[in-house]
Amino acid sequence: MSLMSNRYVLQLRRVARAAGLPRMIGRFEKDYESPFSKQLMLACRQGDVVWDVGANVGHYSRSFSDWVGSSGKVFAFEPDALNLVKLRSSCGERQNVEIRAFGLSDKTERRSFVGDDSDRTVSRVLQPGEPIPK
């Protein structure tokens, strides 16, 4: 289990988000999404094939779709059923986006997601034998 999926870290992130801490910090700190998105855009070319693994609700899938153009293809993988509805809503009409309702792994097995945040950004896959939190 990584530090970012540790249940105490997840709880701390939920509390910080509920208190509005990320918005307060964002006022003083430079936005990391813009430079990150710029680097992604520079890596994509017209006609490329892009895999968006863990596409969530499609923020990057939409951008990838624009960047690779009609001659390119975006495969958006999203196993979480709640996110899948939003992903299909935001990207389902795009001709160059193919949505796949499963995750990718080196194993063939079924796993469950856990996460109680409303935007599903800190959901994670339960490890084998790990009890579902209440």
Side-chain angles (χ1 to χ4, degrees):
M1 177 183 306
S2 76
L3 175 64
M4 294 314 291
S5 63
N6 178 288
R7 68 183 177 127
Y8 298 111
V9 172
L10 292 173
Q11 182 63 30
L12 182 61
R13 288 175 68 188
R14 278 192 286 277
V15 170
R17 194 177 298 124
L21 192 58
R23 285 185 294 281
M24 287 187 283
I25 291 172
R27 292 184 185 137
F28 301 104
E29 192 165 305
K30 188 177 177 184
D31 174 34
Y32 83 93
E33 286 285 348
S34 296
F36 181 72
S37 292
K38 183 176 181 180
Q39 291 302 311
L40 286 175
M41 182 179 71
L42 292 172
C44 291
R45 293 182 180 80
Q46 292 283 315
D48 278 355
V49 174
V50 177
W51 288 19
D52 187 357
V53 179
N56 196 267
V57 298
H59 172 78
Y60 286 110
S61 295
R62 286 190 310 274
S63 295
F64 292 143
S65 171
D66 294 338
W67 298 335
V68 302
S70 60
S71 62
K73 187 80 168 176
V74 177
F75 291 91
F77 297 89
E78 179 53 52
D80 185 298
L82 296 175
N83 284 338
L84 195 58
V85 172
K86 295 176 184 176
L87 176 63
R88 285 187 173 131
S89 176
S90 71
C91 295
E93 298 297 319
R94 292 179 179 249
Q95 297 299 308
N96 65 344
V97 176
E98 189 168 320
I99 297 170
R100 300 292 177 110
F102 55 84
L104 300 179
S105 175
D106 60 342
K107 299 178 177 109
T108 302
E109 59 189 9
R110 291 197 180 271
R111 293 282 189 94
S112 297
F113 275 93
V114 63
D116 60 2
D117 58 315
S118 62
D119 58 3
R120 309 291 284 179
T121 56
V122 294
S123 297
R124 65 181 180 82
V125 176
L126 287 173
Q127 298 302 310
E130 181 180 355
I132 297 174
K134 295 180 181 176

